[in-house]
Amino acid sequence: MIRNAGEFGEMVRKARTRAGMTQRELAMIANVGERFIVDLEKGKGTSQLDKALTVADRIGVNFIAFDSKTIPLREKELKNSESSQEQKSNKIISSFRQLRIRKS
């Protein structure tokens, strides 16, 4: 569970480094400024939740919200959801790397 901006930023930073991306590269594919990524990863509080969620989506960080009345997803459904999101993230990262190679 993510309880604060610092924990969220740490999750984004770990996902970005696992993907082998720089902060600038992530900013480019998320269509946000590099300063936003720097602040986000440092846990700086922000009211720009939409941007933060876009960045999380682009790097493959997923959120599943449950309230006290929600029955958790069955394990199979959860694995399928994670697999689909991972494939989407891998496709975005692969496309970005191909663009980066062509520019070199």
Side-chain angles (χ1 to χ4, degrees), residues 2-10 35-52:
I2 296 175
R3 285 165 263 177
N4 57 52
E7 290 176 1
F8 178 75
E10 179 69 13
R35 181 83 249 162
F36 181 81
I37 300 296
V38 170
D39 290 345
L40 184 66
E41 289 185 359
K42 286 184 177 181
K44 182 177 179 184
T46 177
S47 62
Q48 297 181 25
L49 181 58
D50 188 50
K51 278 187 180 180

Side-chain angles (χ1 to χ4, degrees), residues 44-101:
K44 182 177 179 184
T46 177
S47 62
Q48 297 181 25
L49 181 58
D50 188 50
K51 278 187 180 180
L53 292 175
T54 297
V55 170
D57 177 65
R58 296 299 187 269
I59 200 67
V61 173
N62 301 303
F63 297 96
I64 299 174
F66 297 101
D67 63 28
S68 61
K69 297 178 184 177
T70 303
I71 299 173
L73 294 172
R74 290 182 299 233
E75 188 174 318
K76 182 178 177 182
E77 291 171 328
L78 183 57
K79 285 181 182 177
N80 288 342
S81 174
E82 289 172 350
S83 176
S84 175
Q85 183 63 34
E86 186 175 335
Q87 288 172 356
K88 179 182 172 186
S89 296
N90 287 340
K91 186 175 181 180
I92 290 169
I93 292 166
S94 177
S95 295
F96 182 78
R97 286 185 177 146
Q98 288 174 0
L99 286 173
R100 186 170 52 177
I101 290 169

Side-chain angles (χ1 to χ4, degrees), residues 12-30 37 41 55 58-60 89 92-97 100:
V12 170
R13 185 191 62 75
K14 285 180 180 179
R16 176 185 58 76
T17 56
R18 272 195 313 269
M21 298 175 75
T22 66
Q23 290 174 326
R24 177 174 287 168
E25 291 166 343
L26 177 55
M28 288 173 58
I29 67 168
I37 300 296
E41 289 185 359
V55 170
R58 296 299 187 269
I59 200 67
S89 296
I92 290 169
I93 292 166
S94 177
S95 295
F96 182 78
R97 286 185 177 146
R100 186 170 52 177

